[in-house]
Amino acid sequence: MGCSSAPSTPASTEQAASVNTDPLVKRLQRELRQYRQGSKKYLEARRQLKNAKQTLKRKLKHKIREEWTTKQAVDDIEQQLQGIGFAKHPTVKGSLCSQRPAQGKLLEAINAPLGRDLNDQYRRRDNAINAIITYCMVEEGLTVRRPQTLLELADRKHHDDPSLGSPIYDALLSVFVKTKKDRPRRCFICVGKAQTLSPDDGTVAELLREFYTPGDVSKHFRRKHLANLHGDERIKCPACDLSLDHSEHLRNHALRVHGIVS
């Protein structure tokens, strides 16, 4: 109904951490550490690790959602049978936007208490039907989009893993340095974002472009990425699938692994 009043069902910290303790993930992490960053074997091992984590996260999310849905359905039925409306549940701060009149009337009609007799029940039903009809005639407003964080960017499901010799694959290889003096002319964060898009997406070419000089890459990295970080934002390198603690950690990683001076 536009702005959902149902709570989100995120995994707890312990549940999310269970993905990293899975035997398959731990084995793939050990294998990944054996290869040089940026090598073909490293990229293949990293791809397998990322796919394994995504599969486990999807299964965990599905399990949590199923458990929550079953419990919430029972709570709602029990509350309705008692004539006290739907079960109350906590909402996430900032998850709801202001209701429009038609939406408010719809929720009011759906949550109306049970009638005392059959005629009251008919009126309750008719009011709910009319509220639904009124609401369905209202055009929804535009969804407000917020900028993606580096963590969300890294966690987005890849459209397809880049194939050997493809432009995205070659660009990914180019953002890893082999020596301390190497200075790539591509932005590793932009290349990481390109991996999440379809190869025929019009923005891929722009994300994979080479800058004129390494200095231009540094300016881009500072202005486009570092400057937009928030103090409490969790950070993840989309090219390495590596969690980073803070902005200084990102800067150090950018220099040591991707050759970008910031």
Side-chain angles (χ1 to χ4, degrees), residues 176-200:
F176 291 91
V177 298
K178 297 179 180 178
T179 70
K180 293 182 179 180
K181 294 183 179 180
D182 287 348
R183 295 291 180 265
R185 291 192 291 122
R186 287 190 177 96
C187 172
F188 67 95
I189 293 178
C190 291
V191 171
K193 180 179 179 181
Q195 292 183 88
T196 69
L197 304 175
S198 171
D200 57 0

Side-chain angles (χ1 to χ4, degrees), residues 61-71:
K61 186 180 294 184
H62 178 74
K63 178 183 177 182
I64 294 172
R65 185 181 292 115
E66 287 293 320
E67 291 176 349
W68 182 88
T69 300
T70 301
K71 180 180 182 301

Side-chain angles (χ1 to χ4, degrees), residues 101-209:
Q103 185 181 18
K105 290 180 180 179
L106 174 59
L107 291 176
E108 182 181 349
I110 292 176
N111 286 294
L114 295 174
R116 290 172 295 181
D117 53 37
L118 188 58
N119 288 331
D120 283 347
Q121 283 295 92
Y122 283 145
R123 280 192 291 272
R124 181 174 180 267
R125 179 203 62 186
D126 293 342
N127 289 338
I129 292 174
N130 290 332
I132 292 172
I133 293 173
T134 301
Y135 176 77
C136 290
M137 295 174 64
V138 177
E139 182 178 352
E140 293 281 358
L142 294 175
T143 301
V144 178
R145 297 184 180 273
R146 58 185 177 83
Q148 288 183 322
T149 66
L150 284 182
L151 180 66
E152 292 169 331
L153 179 62
D155 280 343
R156 281 182 59 185
K157 182 179 179 182
H158 286 31
H159 185 275
D160 275 311
D161 290 315
S163 57
L164 185 66
S166 67
I168 295 180
Y169 184 88
D170 291 341
L172 187 61
L173 285 178
S174 73
V175 298
F176 291 91
V177 298
K178 297 179 180 178
T179 70
K180 293 182 179 180
K181 294 183 179 180
D182 287 348
R183 295 291 180 265
R185 291 192 291 122
R186 287 190 177 96
C187 172
F188 67 95
I189 293 178
C190 291
V191 171
K193 180 179 179 181
Q195 292 183 88
T196 69
L197 304 175
S198 171
D200 57 0
D201 190 295
T203 60
V204 169
E206 177 65 18
L207 293 170
L208 299 184
R209 72 184 177 94

Side-chain angles (χ1 to χ4, degrees), residues 2 7 9 18 22 38-40 54 58 62 66-67 76-77 86 111 130 134 167 187 203 206 230 254 262:
T9 55
S18 67
D22 183 85
S39 66
K40 293 182 179 180
Q54 288 176 344
R58 283 196 298 270
H62 178 74
E66 287 293 320
E67 291 176 349
D76 284 341
I77 291 172
F86 291 111
N111 286 294
N130 290 332
T134 301
C187 172
T203 60
E206 177 65 18
H230 302 291
S262 59

Side-chain angles (χ1 to χ4, degrees), residues 67-90:
E67 291 176 349
W68 182 88
T69 300
T70 301
K71 180 180 182 301
Q72 190 62 41
V74 173
D75 290 343
D76 284 341
I77 291 172
E78 290 179 347
Q79 295 277 47
Q80 284 287 290
L81 290 175
Q82 296 174 33
I84 56 178
F86 291 111
K88 301 294 183 181
H89 39 64

Side-chain angles (χ1 to χ4, degrees), residues 3-96:
C3 302
S4 175
S5 60
S8 59
T9 55
S12 67
T13 303
E14 293 78 11
Q15 289 171 323
S18 67
V19 171
N20 292 326
T21 60
D22 183 85
L24 174 60
V25 171
K26 294 179 72 173
R27 178 176 65 80
L28 291 173
Q29 287 175 334
R30 288 195 299 269
E31 292 180 2
L32 184 64
R33 288 193 290 268
Q34 297 175 4
Y35 304 123
R36 178 179 58 80
Q37 286 187 334
S39 66
K40 293 182 179 180
K41 288 185 177 180
Y42 176 88
L43 294 177
E44 175 60 22
R46 193 201 63 167
R47 183 188 67 81
Q48 293 180 4
L49 175 60
K50 183 176 294 184
N51 289 344
K53 284 185 176 181
Q54 288 176 344
T55 299
L56 291 170
K57 286 178 181 178
R58 283 196 298 270
K59 290 181 178 179
L60 177 61
K61 186 180 294 184
H62 178 74
K63 178 183 177 182
I64 294 172
R65 185 181 292 115
E66 287 293 320
E67 291 176 349
W68 182 88
T69 300
T70 301
K71 180 180 182 301
Q72 190 62 41
V74 173
D75 290 343
D76 284 341
I77 291 172
E78 290 179 347
Q79 295 277 47
Q80 284 287 290
L81 290 175
Q82 296 174 33
I84 56 178
F86 291 111
K88 301 294 183 181
H89 39 64
T91 57
V92 180
K93 182 179 179 181
S95 63
L96 301 180

